[in-house]
Amino acid sequence: MGRGTYRHPWLAMVLIVALGLLTPMAANMVGARAGLRAVPTGVSSVVTVVAEVPRGFAPPASGVRPDPSKVVARAAREAREARWTSVLVHVQRTLPAFARPRAGASRIGVVPAGSKYYGFPIVAWVEVVSPNGRWGLVELPYTWPRTEGWIRLDGLRRSTTRVRVEVDLSSHTVTVRKFGAVLFRAPGATGASSSPTPVGEYFVTDRVAFPAGSYLGSFAFGISGIQPRLPAGWSGGNQLAIHGTNNPSSIGRSASAGCIRVSEATLDRLLPLLRYGTPVIVRN
């Protein structure tokens, strides 16, 4: 080797030290600019870059994305179920009803604690719940003209039903739905021309069994409406009901004092479905 090989040994040493220091520092500066985590210098000659997860986001638990069609279908199902789920409240004492859902509103009637003739505890269908959840709009039982009022829901036991009954007076049919889907449809007798069944939104207040062969059939579901146009000489009370009959030929016609008459076979299908508070909607 010649002497020139060791001409400036101190300069070579300075360059080696400088490179050793600047390499990890440069890596850390680039990482900081890119939003990456810096690695302490002097730890290792290998620079490790770790990506930061943006705040407010989390990596998915798996690489599988939800099926958009299933998400839409589930949302539609939940909306349908919410629409067809009726809120019921158990009335333990006579409750005042008000014109508006607020304290100080004018009083327009009451919701009784018991049914009109048999005294069964009232379970009322709440058609609308106020946004704060403290008031409910109900059809006041056994009133004419038909009246809706707001009652306080605080302290009342609540339940729900997915079943409702629709009575079509023009076609003389009784339709039972669950979550909006038709469970079954059957013919029924409705009010005669002189004593038409009054349209309205009612709910079941009574469940009463009768001896076989009764003019009410073997069972009656009393509802919260009354008949304001009773036939002359009528002495059977004015509460509306869905019941059987000992005159099956009248089913499918306008023939009653206002109640809805159905067959014994239809009663058998209604028995497990119509609980206290079940909505009954009568339309023309």
Side-chain angles (χ1 to χ4, degrees):
M1 294 183 183
R3 292 176 58 189
T5 306
Y6 299 96
R7 181 172 297 177
H8 300 292
W10 59 272
L11 182 58
M13 183 63 69
V14 170
L15 289 173
I16 291 170
V17 172
L19 287 172
L21 292 172
L22 289 174
T23 298
M25 289 175 62
N28 284 335
M29 290 175 65
V30 173
R33 285 188 177 184
L36 305 179
R37 185 177 300 150
V39 179
T41 60
V43 174
S44 171
S45 60
V46 178
V47 178
T48 303
V49 179
V50 181
E52 292 278 4
V53 176
R55 293 183 180 180
F57 295 90
S62 68
V64 180
R65 292 179 177 272
D67 185 340
S69 63
K70 292 183 178 179
V71 173
V72 172
R74 183 176 65 184
R77 183 181 67 254
E78 291 175 352
R80 183 178 68 255
E81 291 178 356
R83 176 188 174 193
W84 288 93
T85 298
S86 301
V87 176
L88 312 177
V89 291
H90 299 244
V91 180
Q92 299 171 334
R93 63 187 184 282
T94 298
L95 297 175
F98 301 91
R100 298 287 184 272
R102 62 172 183 263
S106 58
R107 177 169 165 167
I108 59 174
V110 299
V111 176
S115 64
K116 185 175 178 67
Y117 293 110
Y118 293 93
F120 291 108
I122 290 289
V123 178
W125 170 31
V126 178
E127 299 176 25
V128 180
V129 176
S130 65
N132 63 10
R134 301 183 63 184
W135 296 85
L137 182 67
V138 301
E139 185 90 13
L140 304 188
Y142 320 124
T143 60
W144 189 266
R146 292 175 42 243
T147 304
E148 291 180 331
W150 293 89
I151 60 172
R152 292 292 296 265
L153 301 181
D154 297 342
L156 300 182
R157 183 163 66 90
R158 303 189 196 189
S159 56
T160 59
T161 182
R162 283 83 175 174
V163 174
R164 67 179 57 181
V165 180
E166 298 173 354
V167 179
D168 189 314
L169 300 179
S170 60
S171 62
H172 302 96
T173 56
V174 176
T175 301
V176 180
R177 296 181 183 270
K178 184 173 184 179
F179 281 134
V182 175
L183 292 181
F184 69 91
R185 185 175 282 116
T190 58
S193 58
S194 60
S195 54
T197 304
V199 299
E201 297 176 340
Y202 310 108
F203 51 87
V204 173
T205 59
D206 303 89
R207 287 170 51 95
V208 186
F210 293 97
S214 162
Y215 78 96
L216 295 175
S218 64
F219 207 88
F221 301 91
I223 63 177
S224 58
I226 58 173
Q227 169 60 286
R229 296 176 58 183
L230 291 169
W234 180 263
S235 59
N238 65 350
Q239 183 181 353
L240 298 175
I242 300 172
H243 60 74
T245 179
N246 59 1
N247 182 18
S249 64
S250 66
I251 294 175
R253 299 189 292 114
S254 299
S256 77
C259 290
I260 296 92
R261 303 176 188 170
V262 295
S263 68
E264 290 296 314
T266 300
L267 285 177
D268 288 341
R269 302 185 74 176
L270 293 174
L271 274 168
L273 297 172
L274 272 58
R275 55 189 286 195
Y276 295 111
T278 300
V280 177
I281 301 168
V282 179
R283 299 189 178 99
N284 281 318

